[in-house]
């Protein structure tokens, strides 16, 4: 088990996950829980952080948890809403601010304190994002720092290790924010910085061994980072009792099935490659609607995986590469149900493999941590740095119906683009890239011949999590070279366009 180090209580702020990531960067383990759903063992945590919130402490739907077992008993850092919450309910005053308090501000210290003493100079830039302000500190509050517009920017409660800060230390614009979190967690709360990729691997391997014992586990490999790291850690724990299945749905990148399968085998994984391309193509025949395509691909995958899982006798566990952002319960701050409601499956109607017990070795870590854990286990850098690739693969990048010939064309185009990015040293500067095959033909001229062939669109985006994205300003020279290469080398394409739409309002994929 991980040590219970830091509990982050989420009041619905858009920045809560950032707090967790900053804490983890300090090699300290933390967990996020909804403000109104304290975990059973919450008193075991060594320190607590209260997040910000889009709500107001003065509003109707005020979020008001009972913190009597925490306040004054554990070191507590209250951020933004958290700081206002402590003030409002403990004898202080919170009111709407007169001026807009959003953006950069600079701290001036009123009283020396451990929170700022180490590594934070007067004038340090912090990020403000709030519309209420703390007019009067809570009972026994001592003012620590102010900014030009915010008098009560940081305070401490006398006789307690309780701190309130109006700004957001988790946001990069707070230049010394990470230092402040370190001062609070390491200096004040004395939490040990022992959470490292190696320690995670050791404890997870031990946990898997205890949970799974000598049972058999099946896992679907996708070629992506998460399933690969999950497989390697499980392989470390249980070796040949892990049965990996890597399905070729025929919609992967050019040569990807063969090359990734060889890589998996080279890593010592017990992996079976299943080429089901024809089955998927058949299932997709005549389908043009994007959602119908996703369904058809999803169903075909379930059938193939179920067939394969049945061939492993006595398998009792299904491993998944689920990561922390998929697990964190989101907080509803508008009076609705407090957490996302998970759909409950009708167990009787599920394929057999879905009735297996679930093991998810990465469920408590973020994507950047998955990569670090992968690197610490010696997984190839190139594999860990791969761009995300959608489950339905090229199926949702071929607009309209899918045929074997269209898949061939797009695989060739995609390979020219992706290899070109790698050769130009641009691949790692882009979050995701790919090509779309459009359902239109355009007129062209080659030699003296008139052509009437396909149009492809290239897409390259910058993003952190795919929720929002910007198109990448690829050098014109690179685009020019790539376009020439595609038109010269890929039979059936006579026009290349570059997608310059951001998300929102566009999406990354075209379907
Ligand atoms: P959009 O197009 O929604 O894509 O901006 C955001 C991210 O999600 C990926 N994506 C998918 N991944 N199954 C997946 O596993 C899907 O059906 C799917 N659709 C989009 C997309 O590649 C991008 O990274």
């Amino acid at each position: 088990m991980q040590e219970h180090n830091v509990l982050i209580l989420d009041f619905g702020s858009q920045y809560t996950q950032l707090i967790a990531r900053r804490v983890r960067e300090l090699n300290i383990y933390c967990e996020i829980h909804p403000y109104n759903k304290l975990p059973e063992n919450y008193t075991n945590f060594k320190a607590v952080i209260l997040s910000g919130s889009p709500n107001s402490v003065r509003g109707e739907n005020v979020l008001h948890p009972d913190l009597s077992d925490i306040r004054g008993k554990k070191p507590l850092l209250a951020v933004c809403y958290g700081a206002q919450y402590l003030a409002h309910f403990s004898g202080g005053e919170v009111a709407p601010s007169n001026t807009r308090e959003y953006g950069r501000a600079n701290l001036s210290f009123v009283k020396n304190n451990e929170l700022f003493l180490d590594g934070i100079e007067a004038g340090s830039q912090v990020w403000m994002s709030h519309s209420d302000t703390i007019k009067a500190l809570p009972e026994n509050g001592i003012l620590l720092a102010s900014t030009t517009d915010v008098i009560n920017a940081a305070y401490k409660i006398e006789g307690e290790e309780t701190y309130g800060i109006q700004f957001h230390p988790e946001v990069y614009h707070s230049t010394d924010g990470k230092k402040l979190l370190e001062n609070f967690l390491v200096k004040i709360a004395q939490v040990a910085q022992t959470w490292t990729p190696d320690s995670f691997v050791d404890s997870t391997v031990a946990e898997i061994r205890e949970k799974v014992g000598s049972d058999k586990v099946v896992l679907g490999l996708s070629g992506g980072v998460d399933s690969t790291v999950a497989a390697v850690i499980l392989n470390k724990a249980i070796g040949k009792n892990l049965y990996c299945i890597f399905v070729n749905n025929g919609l992967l990148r050019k040569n990807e099935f063969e090359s990734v399968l060889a890589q998996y085998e080279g890593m010592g994984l017990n992996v079976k490659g299943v080429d089901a391309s024809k089955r998927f193509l058949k299932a997709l025949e005549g389908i043009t609607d994007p959602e119908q395509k996703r369904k058809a691909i999803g169903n075909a995958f379930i059938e193939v995986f179920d067939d394969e899982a049945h061939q492993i006798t006595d398998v009792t566990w299904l491993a998944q590469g689920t990561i922390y952002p998929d697990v964190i319960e989101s907080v509803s701050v508008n009076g609705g149900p407090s957490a996302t409601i998970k759909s409950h499956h009708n167990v009787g109607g599920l394929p057999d493999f879905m009735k297996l017990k679930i093991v998810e070795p990465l469920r408590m870590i973020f994507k950047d941590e998955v990569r670090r854990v992968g690197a610490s286990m010696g997984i190839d850098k190139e594999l860990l740095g791969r761009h995300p690739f959608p489950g339905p693969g090229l199926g949702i990048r071929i607009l309209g119906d899918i045929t074997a010939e269209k898949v061939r064309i797009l695989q060739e185009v995609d390979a020219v683009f992706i290899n070109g990015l790698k050769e130009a040293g641009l691949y790692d500067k882009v979050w995701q890239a790919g090509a779309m095959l459009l359902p239109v033909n355009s007129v062209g001229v080659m030699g003296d011949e008139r052509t009437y062939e396909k149009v492809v669109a290239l897409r390259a985006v910058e993003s952190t999590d795919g929720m929002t994205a910007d198109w990448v300003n690829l050098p014109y020279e690179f685009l020019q070279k790539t376009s020439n290469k595609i038109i010269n080398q890929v039979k059936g394409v006579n026009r290349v366009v570059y997608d310059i739409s951001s998300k929102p309002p566009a999406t990354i994929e075209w379907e």
Side-chain angles (χ1 to χ4, degrees):
M1 269 314 274
Q2 308 303 340
E3 273 190 85
H4 292 105
N5 278 341
V6 179
L7 170 64
I8 298 168
L9 284 184
D10 180 26
F11 288 89
S13 164
Q14 57 174 325
Y15 299 135
T16 304
Q17 288 195 24
L18 264 187
I19 302 180
R21 285 169 56 183
R22 289 295 96 81
V23 172
R24 300 273 185 99
E25 282 170 16
L26 294 167
N27 294 335
I28 292 174
Y29 180 72
C30 60
E31 287 178 18
I32 298 175
H33 290 272
Y35 73 95
N36 55 353
K37 245 178 144 182
L38 292 170
E40 254 171 42
N41 53 11
Y42 72 94
T43 50
N44 294 341
F45 285 87
K46 299 197 177 99
V48 180
I49 298 176
L50 308 183
S51 85
S53 172
N55 268 31
S56 164
V57 288
R58 302 169 300 102
E60 274 181 18
N61 297 321
V62 50
L63 317 175
H64 189 183
D66 175 10
L67 299 181
S68 51
D69 280 338
I70 292 176
R71 170 82 196 267
K73 299 182 174 131
K74 307 261 171 203
L76 176 68
L77 178 68
V79 175
C80 193
Y81 178 92
Q84 295 173 359
Y85 165 85
L86 290 186
H88 185 74
F89 290 105
S90 312
E93 188 194 345
V94 174
S97 6
N98 295 330
T99 50
R100 197 171 126 94
E101 290 176 354
Y102 182 83
R104 294 172 176 81
N106 298 90
L107 285 181
S108 55
F109 299 126
V110 177
K111 195 169 171 42
N112 277 345
N113 184 270
E114 275 188 294
L115 197 60
F116 301 108
L117 211 51
D118 190 8
I120 307 179
E121 305 281 326
S124 177
Q125 177 181 294
V126 293
W127 184 255
M128 293 286 184
S129 174
H130 57 110
S131 46
D132 279 357
T133 201
I134 299 169
K135 282 265 184 267
L137 293 181
E139 217 172 293
N140 301 325
I142 307 167
L143 182 62
L144 300 180
S146 306
T147 66
T148 312
D149 292 329
V150 181
I151 293 170
N152 295 316
Y155 64 83
K156 177 188 185 327
I157 305 288
E158 193 167 14
E160 294 177 18
E161 295 298 5
T162 299
Y163 295 84
I165 50 177
Q166 184 57 74
F167 52 90
H168 288 270
E170 67 276 19
V171 174
Y172 281 114
H173 305 300
S174 290
T175 325
D176 300 315
K178 195 165 146 189
K179 192 73 208 162
L180 182 145
L181 289 171
E182 185 179 347
N183 288 346
F184 171 69
L185 293 172
V186 181
K187 291 246 156 59
I188 295 169
Q190 311 213 328
V191 182
Q193 292 173 285
T194 50
W195 166 259
T196 60
D198 286 342
S199 74
F200 172 79
V201 171
D202 289 346
S203 60
T204 306
V205 163
E207 230 171 276
I208 294 169
R209 284 187 183 144
E210 193 183 321
K211 190 169 179 178
V212 171
S214 53
D215 294 350
K216 290 182 185 173
V217 178
V218 62
L219 176 144
L221 281 168
S222 71
V225 177
D226 301 344
S227 65
T228 304
V229 175
V232 172
I233 206 164
L234 276 150
N235 183 48
K236 225 174 161 60
I238 60 167
K240 296 291 174 225
N241 275 344
L242 172 69
Y243 292 77
C244 300
I245 297 169
F246 180 34
V247 176
N248 183 7
N249 58 13
L251 302 163
L252 301 174
R253 297 196 136 115
K254 187 182 174 186
N255 298 332
E256 174 149 280
F257 181 61
E258 297 75 12
S259 68
V260 174
L261 187 58
Q263 242 176 324
Y264 283 146
E265 284 164 351
M267 287 154 70
L269 295 177
N270 177 14
V271 56
K272 180 173 180 190
V274 182
D275 188 355
S277 320
K278 292 209 172 94
R279 192 160 168 177
F280 280 84
L281 261 187
K282 182 107 195 71
L284 283 163
E285 229 167 48
I287 301 180
T288 54
D289 176 74
E291 287 315 303
Q292 292 299 325
K293 283 185 190 177
R294 283 186 169 82
K295 267 200 193 117
I297 295 167
N299 289 340
F301 180 83
I302 286 172
E303 283 170 27
V304 173
F305 196 80
D306 208 33
D307 285 355
E308 291 301 323
H310 268 113
Q311 292 176 30
I312 310 163
T313 40
D314 303 329
V315 63
T316 44
W317 294 86
L318 172 70
Q320 292 180 332
T322 316
I323 63 172
Y324 200 32
D326 305 328
V327 173
I328 298 169
E329 284 188 78
S330 57
V331 168
S332 164
V333 287
N334 299 317
S338 61
T340 23
I341 298 163
K342 305 243 161 71
S343 53
H344 287 270
H345 301 290
N346 171 2
V347 175
L350 285 176
D352 283 346
F353 77 84
M354 289 189 88
K355 296 177 197 157
L356 300 173
K357 291 180 275 184
I358 303 283
V359 52
E360 297 173 316
L362 312 178
R363 73 190 309 274
M364 295 312 282
I365 61 176
F366 290 104
K367 189 87 179 181
D368 49 329
E369 294 176 304
V370 174
R371 291 206 169 93
R372 282 199 282 148
V373 165
S376 89
M377 292 190 296
I379 299 178
D380 186 52
K381 250 195 183 149
E382 199 177 317
L383 212 161
L384 290 176
R386 299 178 91 191
H387 290 171
F389 189 67
L394 301 183
I396 52 167
R397 293 185 180 170
I398 294 170
L399 276 66
D401 72 317
I402 297 168
T403 63
E405 174 61 3
K406 289 182 183 174
V407 173
R408 182 201 66 79
I409 292 178
L410 190 56
Q411 280 179 335
E412 296 295 335
V413 171
D414 178 79
V416 172
F417 184 35
I418 298 297
N419 292 338
L421 285 170
K422 285 181 181 164
E423 282 159 21
L426 293 165
Y427 184 84
D428 291 335
K429 301 194 169 104
V430 168
W431 188 78
Q432 187 174 22
M436 320 291 157
L437 185 69
L438 308 190
V440 286
N441 280 25
S442 83
V443 172
V445 55
M446 255 187 215
D448 292 332
E449 300 276 312
R450 173 188 183 277
T451 60
Y452 189 55
E453 293 178 331
K454 287 272 168 271
V455 182
V456 293
L458 306 182
R459 182 110 167 102
V461 294
E462 283 165 359
S463 179
T464 48
D465 52 12
M467 302 296 284
T468 61
D470 270 327
W471 60 278
V472 178
N473 207 334
L474 290 176
Y476 279 178
E477 230 172 276
F478 171 80
L479 289 171
Q480 185 183 35
K481 236 167 115 178
T482 307
S483 161
N484 281 347
K485 215 167 179 181
I486 289 170
I487 294 172
N488 286 335
Q489 293 183 2
V490 186
K491 197 163 167 281
V493 175
N494 70 356
R495 194 174 294 266
V496 176
V497 298
Y498 186 53
D499 183 350
I500 52 165
S501 332
S502 298
K503 171 183 182 177
T507 49
I508 296 174
E509 305 294 345
W510 282 38
E511 283 200 333

